[in-house]
Amino acid sequence: TDIKITFPFGKDINSLSATATISAGATISPDPTQSKDYTNPKNFIVTSGDGKTAKQYTVTVTFAKK
């Protein structure tokens, strides 16, 4: 699943952190609250609480036009 986020032109995306709401017991890796450089797409994997299901999410950050 792709997640696309648009920031104002010129925003520094070299050290962003994020929040995510997931089901109780589920996990997300890597930890989105840790600062990351979003100049390239970042992949996150959410795993269900029972560990049977995992889904990858790709976050892509772009800029609005000037």
Side-chain angles (χ1 to χ4, degrees), residues 6-9 62-66:
T6 303
F7 278 99
F9 183 81
T62 59
F63 292 107
K65 294 180 182 178
K66 285 185 176 181

Side-chain angles (χ1 to χ4, degrees), residues 1-60:
T1 300
D2 292 329
I3 300 169
K4 297 179 192 279
I5 302 168
T6 303
F7 278 99
F9 183 81
K11 169 83 172 158
D12 181 8
I13 61 170
N14 293 315
S15 183
L16 297 176
S17 59
T19 59
T21 303
I22 56 178
S23 301
T27 60
I28 186 168
S29 180
D31 182 353
T33 64
Q34 299 298 312
S35 293
K36 290 175 188 40
D37 180 349
Y38 280 86
T39 55
N40 293 304
K42 296 292 173 224
N43 294 317
F44 295 90
I45 298 183
V46 176
T47 304
S48 62
D50 63 9
K52 293 181 180 179
T53 305
K55 185 167 184 171
Q56 178 174 294
Y57 294 85
T58 301
V59 177
T60 303

